[in-house]
């Protein structure tokens, strides 16, 4: 019970200066032999740093199922390519027996008596352009595109002067249309400037044209001018090794190796025979050896699986 005589004492207010002096005096009290340290309350950092402003959480957008499936397919394709083992090295091939080569040629001639160039053409220029378009494209597709192309651009001068965009639109379905359109325009420009608009008839002159390689030149020489030459494409390269005719991988070396063992008058047809046989029976992944007429004379080099 509070006494009425004792007045209530009010707490004494401390000024800012007094509190500061008190803090200094408290911090200055140090024992002898010890360094002067400042105490920090628990839970607080010794140094005060400015807090970073809060950033609003970014909402992740939901990927549409079609895009997600397409992305997964791309990733899977890249992984397959990366994990794909390197192609096995080709073994050394001895010089083939002339009797065996003769037997192979006779069988191929009987099997494909009507072998010819699969590209439709009426002039050497048309064959040259069709061969450029056939890169990474089927001959059937090229034969569907070339009639409209040659109707719109009938000669080398017209093709050289054709706008890039217009030419691309005509040949778009053959694939790689931008590079092919550029190659056609540059090649035809060289034909007009160097040969008066006529396709040259020599291997050296043809390979000097922009966009024309040795294989394309041999196609034109053999099928448009009747000048013998061996065309080495992917089918000829594969079959020449499986048949034990050449162990080379370079197309030029394969061409020279075949020229030494195949009679000159059969160079053009021999290329057609191997191309047709490679498409029909001796396919790349799993050749149909059980129905191959060349099986008795074929060493089957590099073949691991067959039908």
């Amino acid at each position: 019970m509070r006494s009425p005589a004792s007045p209530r004492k009010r707490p004494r207010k401390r000024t800012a200066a007094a509190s500061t002096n008190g803090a200094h005096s408290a911090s200055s009290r140090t024992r002898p032999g010890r360094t002067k340290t400042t105490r920090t309350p628990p839970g607080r950092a010794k140094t005060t740093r400015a807090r970073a402003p809060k950033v609003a959480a970014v909402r992740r957008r939901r990927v549409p199922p079609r895009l997600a499936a397409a992305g997964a397919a791309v990733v899977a394709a890249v992984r397959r390519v990366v994990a794909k083992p390197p192609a096995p090295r080709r073994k050394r091939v001895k010089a083939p027996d002339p009797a065996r080569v003769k037997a192979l040629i006779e069988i191929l001639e009987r099997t494909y008596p009507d072998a010819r160039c699969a590209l439709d053409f009426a002039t050497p220029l048309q064959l040259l352009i069709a061969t450029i378009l056939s890169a990474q494209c089927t001959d059937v597709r090229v034969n569907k595109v070339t009639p409209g192309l040659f109707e719109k651009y009938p000669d080398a001068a017209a093709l050289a002067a054709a706008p890039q965009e217009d030419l691309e639109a005509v040949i778009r379905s053959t694939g790689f249309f931008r590079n092919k359109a550029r190659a056609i325009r540059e090649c035809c420009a060289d034909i007009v400037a160097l040969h008066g608009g006529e396709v040259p008839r020599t291997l050296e002159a043809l390979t000097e044209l922009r966009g024309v390689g040795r294989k394309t030149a041999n196609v034109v020489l053999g099928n448009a001018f009747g000048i013998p030459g061996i065309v080495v494409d992917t089918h000829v390269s594969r079959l020449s090794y499986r048949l034990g005719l050449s162990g080379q991988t370079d197309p030029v070396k394969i061409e020279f190796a075949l020229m030494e063992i195949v009679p000159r008058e059969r160079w053009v047809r021999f290329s057609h025979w191997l191309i047709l046989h490679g498409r029909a029976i001796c396919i790349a992944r799993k050749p149909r050896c059980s129905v191959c007429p060349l099986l008795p004379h074929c060493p089957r080099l590099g073949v691991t699986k067959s039908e």
Side-chain angles (χ1 to χ4, degrees), residues 224-297:
F225 296 118
I227 300 175
I230 293 181
V231 177
V232 179
D233 67 346
T234 179
H235 300 291
V236 176
S237 176
R238 181 177 68 254
L239 268 68
S240 64
Y241 176 64
R242 288 181 176 177
L243 293 172
L245 303 179
S246 174
Q248 301 293 336
T249 57
D250 181 70
V252 178
K253 294 181 179 180
I254 295 175
E255 177 187 346
F256 289 154
L258 296 178
M259 289 168 62
E260 294 180 358
I261 60 177
V262 178
R264 180 182 175 86
E265 64 274 8
R266 296 186 178 181
W267 284 356
V268 178
R269 287 181 295 168
F270 185 78
S271 300
H272 294 323
W273 293 336
L274 291 189
I275 292 173
L276 293 176
H277 194 68
R279 291 175 177 175
I281 296 179
C282 196
I283 56 181
R285 294 185 178 180
K286 201 172 183 181
R288 303 168 57 196
C289 296
S290 59
V291 296
C292 180
L294 303 178
L295 184 60
H297 308 281

Side-chain angles (χ1 to χ4, degrees), residues 12-50:
R12 198 174 191 181
K13 294 182 180 181
R14 298 181 64 183
T15 61
S19 62
T20 306
N21 294 334
H24 282 297
S25 61
S27 61
S28 60
R29 297 174 185 174
T30 56
R31 296 181 181 178
R34 292 187 178 183
T35 57
K36 188 176 181 180
T37 58
T38 57
R39 298 180 180 180
T40 55
R44 292 186 181 180
K46 291 184 179 181
T47 57
T48 57
R49 297 180 181 178

Side-chain angles (χ1 to χ4, degrees), residues 24-250:
H24 282 297
S25 61
S27 61
S28 60
R29 297 174 185 174
T30 56
R31 296 181 181 178
R34 292 187 178 183
T35 57
K36 188 176 181 180
T37 58
T38 57
R39 298 180 180 180
T40 55
R44 292 186 181 180
K46 291 184 179 181
T47 57
T48 57
R49 297 180 181 178
R51 293 183 178 181
K54 294 183 178 181
V55 181
V58 180
R59 294 182 178 180
R60 298 183 63 182
R61 295 183 178 179
R62 186 177 181 183
V63 181
R66 290 184 179 180
L67 293 180
V74 171
V75 172
V78 172
R79 287 178 178 175
R80 285 196 299 269
V81 172
V82 173
K84 185 178 180 180
R89 281 189 173 185
R90 290 187 174 184
K91 299 179 181 179
R92 291 185 179 181
V93 177
K94 298 180 181 180
D97 183 12
R100 187 172 68 87
V101 174
K102 183 180 179 181
L104 291 173
I105 293 175
E106 291 177 353
I107 296 174
L108 288 171
E109 188 172 13
R110 291 196 305 266
T111 307
Y112 308 100
D114 301 325
R116 66 174 188 86
C117 182
L119 297 172
D120 297 337
F121 66 95
T123 64
L125 177 64
Q126 292 184 3
L127 179 59
L128 175 60
I129 302 303
T131 306
I132 294 176
L133 293 177
S134 65
Q136 303 296 322
C137 182
T138 62
D139 296 337
V140 176
R141 170 57 57 183
V142 174
N143 291 335
K144 292 180 180 179
V145 172
T146 49
L149 175 65
F150 298 140
E151 182 179 358
K152 189 174 183 179
Y153 307 105
D155 53 17
L159 287 168
Q164 177 75 15
E165 295 77 10
D166 295 348
L167 194 57
E168 290 177 0
V170 177
I171 66 173
R172 179 182 293 269
S173 61
T174 63
F176 302 97
F177 54 91
R178 291 188 178 90
N179 292 336
K180 291 179 181 180
R182 188 180 303 109
I184 290 173
R185 294 175 65 245
E186 292 177 350
C187 173
C188 292
D190 291 344
I191 292 175
V192 173
L194 302 177
H195 305 282
E198 298 294 332
V199 178
R201 301 171 62 95
T202 63
L203 181 65
E204 293 75 13
L206 281 170
T207 52
E208 287 179 358
L209 302 175
R210 288 175 290 179
V212 178
R214 191 177 184 91
K215 184 187 77 171
T216 302
N218 279 325
V219 171
V220 175
L221 291 176
N223 297 276
F225 296 118
I227 300 175
I230 293 181
V231 177
V232 179
D233 67 346
T234 179
H235 300 291
V236 176
S237 176
R238 181 177 68 254
L239 268 68
S240 64
Y241 176 64
R242 288 181 176 177
L243 293 172
L245 303 179
S246 174
Q248 301 293 336
T249 57
D250 181 70

Side-chain angles (χ1 to χ4, degrees), residues 1-9:
M1 185 171 179
R2 185 180 297 175
S3 169
S6 60
R8 186 176 180 181
K9 295 182 180 180

